[in-house]
Amino acid sequence: MAIQAPEGTRDLLPDEALFWTRFKETAAEVFGRYGYVLVETPVIEQTELFVRGIGEATDVVSKEMFTALSGENLKRLLEGGTVKAKSRLSLRPEGTAGVVRAVVQHDLVPQGAAPAKLMYAGPMFRAERPQKGRQRQFNQVGVECLGAEAPSIDAEAIIMLMRFFEKVGIPRASMRLLVNSMGCETCRPAYRDLVRAYMDEHAGELCETCLTRAEVNPLRAFDCKNPGCAAVMEDAPKITDHLCDDCKAHYAEVLGLLEGAGVAYEEDPKLVRGLDYYTRTVFEVQVTDGLGSQNAIGGGGRYDKLAEEVGGRSTPGLGFALGYERCLMALEAAGMELPRAQRCDLFVACVDDTVRAQAFALVQECRDAGYRCEMDHQGRSLKSQFKLADKLGAARVAVLGPDEVAAGKVTVRDMGTHDEVLVSITDLVSELGSALL
């Protein structure tokens, strides 16, 4: 039996690989207008980074991380030994912690400096049960802004996210923007105690996971997908009723800026996102078509304490991530077709083998001039070469035979109109450029 891709992973074949490249280019274009620049961090980090940064009680850390061990360290563990902390590595389950680690490690936001605005794109890994819209290896595009705590940064990021979704073609009418505030270290502890007390009163109606969450981080219960738990948490105390004055003012200004920009939103006091590092503003974009229950295509929020958690100085931060695969599903539901990766400006067809050397030289000349050019390498008949040219999406076919070589001419056929013209071989490159324009 042939070896297949691991469960929960998939290959990006040429058409989709081309679209993924364009998807990232569009993100760089849109986010670049707001001052964001590209950064790349390793796909593997010390496990401690995610434990401290994301939170040990989260499903991401406690259940879903892939741990990576060298053969030597695996042998050491099997023999009852231990592995040093710096050798305890995990594949990144999300992008924020690694970017914040890089900012702290390289001091990208020294005291008094302008904020660091960074974007990233690449694969993430979670050991989840594969289903529609949820894979074990998936691609994300995200941004992180470190060093600014103004509400305008929050609103700017939300507007930027919506502009990107619209730019790639997701219909605005099919999207819902949900917004909430998670409070801060001043007001959230008291609110967390209220939620814990409420959950204790309804312990008999909650699942075992939520009962555990009640002791570690009760706010995570708002994320539970169990219908019974969701019904119970519907009547739990709302964070927006318990914000301190500073958080109320921050949240109100974010909403006011969104309204001023004409960005429609819905307040959702149950929105907590899935990670422990969020403070104050959190947001999520969902779509109504194409994804089923996994309908979130992107979201994020503020994380003003995360830099300290990974060993840096106090540095406010905010970011978001969007899932490429889920965006693709939303686009397909809207009727989008992937672009063709196989595209060819010119196919040089040989009448017989005597002109292959001249055809080969002509193909190289066209490529050197910047055109996508192909020829047959398998001795096909002229008819079969035309079929190959059509399969490759060739815009034009140049037919070269002994008579053409002797006359210094080549017959060029437009594959769309089937019109043919006789062109001087020496003028083919310039004629090709004019024709394509």
Side-chain angles (χ1 to χ4, degrees):
M1 181 178 177
I3 297 175
Q4 298 187 347
E7 185 180 15
T9 70
R10 65 192 188 91
D11 302 304
L12 297 190
L13 300 180
D15 288 354
E16 189 177 345
L18 173 62
F19 182 73
W20 167 231
T21 298
R22 292 183 179 177
F23 190 86
K24 292 183 286 184
E25 290 170 348
T26 302
E29 175 195 342
V30 174
F31 303 159
R33 298 174 196 162
Y34 295 77
Y36 285 82
V37 294
L38 186 66
V39 66
E40 292 195 17
T41 61
V43 299
I44 192 167
E45 297 270 7
Q46 290 189 41
T47 301
E48 184 68 11
L49 171 68
F50 303 119
V51 172
R52 291 167 57 183
I54 298 174
E56 192 167 8
T58 61
D59 288 350
V60 171
V61 170
S62 64
K63 299 178 181 179
E64 298 167 3
M65 278 205 307
F66 283 103
T67 298
L69 288 172
S70 67
E72 181 182 352
N73 282 330
L74 177 59
K75 181 180 178 182
R76 185 176 289 122
L77 285 176
L78 292 174
E79 293 174 348
T82 59
V83 176
K84 295 179 181 179
K86 67 178 182 179
S87 296
R88 295 173 189 157
L89 306 174
S90 293
L91 295 175
R92 61 186 185 191
E94 56 92 55
T96 298
V99 173
V100 173
R101 188 268 310 149
V103 169
V104 170
Q105 179 177 338
H106 302 287
D107 196 22
L108 298 185
V109 189
Q111 293 282 10
K117 287 185 168 184
L118 306 170
M119 68 162 287
Y120 61 87
M124 308 294 161
F125 307 85
R126 296 188 187 182
E128 300 185 288
R129 182 173 63 84
Q131 55 182 294
K132 184 179 181 181
R134 194 179 286 273
Q135 297 175 228
R136 290 176 176 171
Q137 178 178 329
F138 53 97
N139 292 293
Q140 284 189 341
V141 173
V143 305
E144 313 296 343
C145 178
L146 280 296
E149 58 184 350
S152 55
I153 286 290
D154 307 27
E156 178 182 87
I158 295 171
I159 294 167
M160 183 172 72
L161 178 61
M162 299 306 292
R163 295 288 188 266
F164 170 78
F165 286 142
E166 292 166 2
K167 178 76 173 178
V168 295
I170 300 176
R172 182 64 184 89
S174 72
M175 293 186 284
R176 298 172 62 219
L177 169 61
L178 307 179
V179 186
N180 190 29
S181 175
M182 292 284 291
C184 67
E185 292 306 307
T186 299
C187 54
R188 190 160 56 187
Y191 172 68
R192 188 185 291 118
D193 291 341
L194 283 174
V195 175
R196 181 181 291 112
Y198 174 84
M199 292 175 68
D200 288 344
E201 293 174 6
H202 296 81
E205 305 167 63
L206 298 173
C207 68
E208 289 298 320
T209 301
C210 281
L211 292 177
T212 302
R213 287 168 172 164
E215 299 303 317
V216 182
N217 184 357
L219 303 191
R220 294 287 292 110
F222 286 108
D223 252 356
C224 186
K225 300 301 184 288
N226 182 305
C229 296
V232 170
M233 299 308 294
E234 186 71 33
D235 296 324
K238 294 178 173 57
I239 180 65
T240 44
D241 295 332
H242 300 276
L243 297 175
C244 63
D245 290 342
D246 286 345
C247 286
K248 284 181 183 177
H250 188 279
Y251 186 49
E253 187 168 345
V254 172
L255 299 184
L257 290 169
L258 293 179
E259 291 166 6
V263 175
Y265 64 86
E266 302 172 33
E267 292 189 74
D268 183 357
K270 300 185 298 300
L271 179 66
V272 296
R273 301 289 293 161
L275 308 175
D276 284 355
Y277 53 57
Y278 286 120
T279 57
R280 291 191 170 174
T281 308
V282 289
F283 51 93
E284 184 170 284
V285 181
Q286 301 176 353
V287 292
T288 55
D289 301 311
L291 272 73
S293 62
Q294 306 296 335
N295 63 345
I297 57 175
R302 180 163 285 282
Y303 48 80
D304 292 338
K305 299 297 180 181
L306 183 54
E308 292 176 79
E309 289 290 342
V310 301
R313 71 172 70 90
S314 178
T315 308
L318 177 132
F320 66 70
L322 56 100
Y324 161 71
E325 284 82 5
R326 293 193 185 181
C327 287
L328 180 60
M329 292 166 62
L331 288 165
E332 289 173 338
M336 182 210 74
E337 294 185 6
L338 289 176
R340 285 187 61 181
Q342 287 282 58
R343 186 174 66 80
C344 179
D345 297 322
L346 179 71
F347 186 96
V348 179
C350 301
V351 172
D352 59 38
D353 289 342
T354 65
V355 297
R356 286 197 174 276
Q358 291 90 336
F360 186 83
L362 193 57
V363 166
Q364 306 317 311
E365 183 182 353
C366 291
R367 288 170 174 167
D368 290 343
Y371 300 107
R372 297 170 185 249
C373 195
E374 278 289 356
M375 67 177 289
D376 168 51
H377 297 278
Q378 295 168 293
R380 289 178 172 89
S381 67
L382 187 59
K383 182 178 180 180
S384 295
Q385 289 179 67
F386 269 97
K387 288 182 179 179
L388 176 59
D390 189 55
K391 184 178 180 180
L392 294 175
R396 281 163 179 76
V397 174
V399 182
L400 193 64
D403 294 342
E404 284 83 3
V405 171
K409 302 284 187 179
V410 62
T411 301
V412 179
R413 177 185 291 187
D414 186 306
M415 293 295 281
T417 65
H418 298 290
D419 293 337
E420 293 185 349
V421 293
L422 200 61
V423 176
S424 168
I425 292 178
T426 57
D427 294 336
L428 178 61
V429 170
S430 59
E431 289 288 341
L432 179 61
S434 299
L436 291 174
L437 286 174

